[in-house]
Amino acid sequence: RPPPRDPTPNLHHPAPPSSSAPPPAVRPWSTVASGSGPSLPISRPEGATSIFVDHSNIALGVKPSSTAVKPGEKPVKGASPMVELNIPALLRVLEEGLQPVERRMVAGSYTLHALEKTYEQAGYQVAIASGKAFDKEHFVDTAISSDMMRLLLKHETERRPPGTLVFVSGDGNANQGLTSFVTVLEYALSLGWTVVHWAWRSSLSGNYRRFATEHRGAYHQRLLDSVRHRIVKSVSVTIAGSASTGFRAPKKKKPTVNFKGPGKKPNTKRKKRAKKAKAPK
C-alpha cells in the first residue's frame, strides 16, 4: 500500500516561477494547398519576405491538357485550345499572407519580354537573358542565385533578422560549379531563414528532397499543380496566328528570280525566248 501523500509543497524541487513576459510574436503563414492537401498555418520569422521567380522554368511546366477548354464550352472553329500562365494570379498566390515584401525579382529568357511590363507593374526587377540556349539557362541561374546571396549577406552585415525567402523554380542543377539554387537555399536555411519553395511536380529536382527532413519546420515545399486552376488560363489561338496572343502568321515565300550574277538585273530575255518557243504557231 503506498504511503499517504504529503500535502506540504516540495521545497527541494520548487515549481518554476511563471513568467509574466508575453511569448514572442509570430506571424502565421497563409494556408495554401500542397501536393498532399492543405497545409496548417506555421510560424515564420519577423523579417520581411523576398520573392525570386525563375520564369523560364515555371513557364515550361504549363502544358496543354484536357482542362484547357472549360466544361460546357465548345472550342472555337478554326482555333486550337492552349493554356498559359496567368501572371497576376500567380503573383497573388506567392504573396498570400507573406507581407510585407522587401524584394521581388524575376529572370528568364527572351519569352519574358512579352511579360516584362506585367512583372514591373507588380514591383519586380526583371532580368532577361540573351544569346545561346545554354548561355540563357546559365544566366538565369546565376542572376537569381547571386541576387539571393546578396540579400542574405545584406541582412547579415546590417544585423537584420532573417525573413522568408520564396523561391519559384524546380531547377536544381550544379550551375557549372558556380553558386547554385541548392547551395543558396541551404545557406539561407542555416542562417535561420524560412524557405517557401514553389515548383511544378514534373520539373522539381530531386536535389531538394533532403531539405524536407534536414530542415523540418523551416523548409516548405509547395506544388504549383495544386493551384493550377488559379494560375493557368485557357486561350484560343487561331491557326493563322494573332498578334495579341504572340503568334504570328507564317510569311509567304517570294518567288525566286534567276539572276545572272551579283548586282545585275534578272535574266528575263531567256524566259521570253522560252515562252515564244512554246507558243503555238
Side-chain angles (χ1 to χ4, degrees):
R1 185 177 179 181
R5 185 177 180 182
D6 188 2
T8 59
N10 191 349
L11 300 179
H12 297 284
H13 301 282
S18 59
S19 175
S20 58
V26 293
R27 291 184 293 177
W29 191 61
S30 60
T31 55
V32 296
S34 64
S36 58
S39 61
L40 298 176
I42 61 174
S43 300
R44 65 187 185 92
E46 279 297 313
T49 300
S50 298
I51 305 175
F52 300 90
V53 181
D54 181 354
H55 179 81
S56 300
N57 183 269
I58 61 173
L60 291 175
V62 183
K63 300 177 182 179
S65 64
S66 57
T67 60
V69 180
K70 296 180 180 179
E73 289 186 356
K74 294 182 179 180
V76 181
K77 189 175 181 179
S80 58
M82 296 188 68
V83 292
E84 65 181 16
L85 275 175
N86 186 343
I87 299 300
L90 170 65
L91 302 184
R92 285 194 297 269
V93 169
L94 299 180
E95 297 188 17
E96 281 181 349
L98 295 179
Q99 286 78 18
V101 178
E102 173 186 359
R103 175 77 173 151
R104 298 178 178 92
M105 189 265 184
V106 59
S109 60
Y110 68 94
T111 56
L112 188 55
H113 279 289
L115 300 168
E116 185 175 1
K117 290 184 178 180
T118 304
Y119 275 108
E120 287 179 345
Q121 290 174 357
Y124 279 75
Q125 181 180 354
V126 181
I128 303 177
S130 60
K132 298 180 181 180
F134 181 78
D135 295 335
K136 292 175 184 177
E137 182 181 359
H138 179 61
F139 170 85
V140 172
D141 293 1
T142 304
I144 297 178
S145 299
S146 60
D147 204 60
M148 288 193 294
M149 184 61 74
R150 184 179 64 175
L151 174 73
L152 300 177
L153 295 177
K154 181 180 178 182
H155 273 248
E156 278 194 286
T157 303
E158 299 177 359
R159 296 185 177 180
R160 298 167 58 185
T164 301
L165 195 151
V166 180
F167 175 64
V168 189
S169 177
D171 191 359
N173 61 51
N175 195 21
Q176 305 178 28
L178 301 176
T179 305
S180 64
F181 295 152
V182 177
T183 55
V184 175
L185 293 186
E186 193 165 20
Y187 181 62
L189 290 166
S190 67
L191 295 177
W193 283 67
T194 294
V195 174
V196 181
H197 185 185
W198 286 93
W200 293 103
R201 185 190 299 273
S202 59
S203 62
L204 182 59
S205 172
N207 292 332
Y208 300 106
R209 191 177 296 115
R210 59 184 176 86
F211 283 7
T213 54
E214 295 179 3
H215 304 280
R216 188 181 301 274
Y219 174 77
H220 307 276
Q221 194 175 94
R222 301 288 179 258
L223 295 178
L224 292 171
D225 307 71
S226 62
V227 292
R228 180 184 175 89
H229 61 287
R230 297 178 57 186
I231 64 174
V232 174
K233 61 182 179 179
S234 59
V235 291
S236 295
V237 182
T238 57
I239 297 176
S242 172
S244 61
T245 56
F247 292 85
R248 297 181 180 179
K251 296 181 180 179
K252 295 182 180 180
K253 293 183 179 181
K254 295 181 180 180
T256 57
V257 182
N258 183 21
F259 286 87
K260 283 185 175 180
K264 296 184 179 181
K265 296 182 178 180
N267 187 359
T268 56
K269 293 182 179 180
R270 185 182 299 176
K271 292 184 178 181
K272 289 181 179 180
R273 289 196 298 266
K275 287 183 179 180
K276 289 181 180 181
K278 292 180 180 179
K281 296 180 179 180

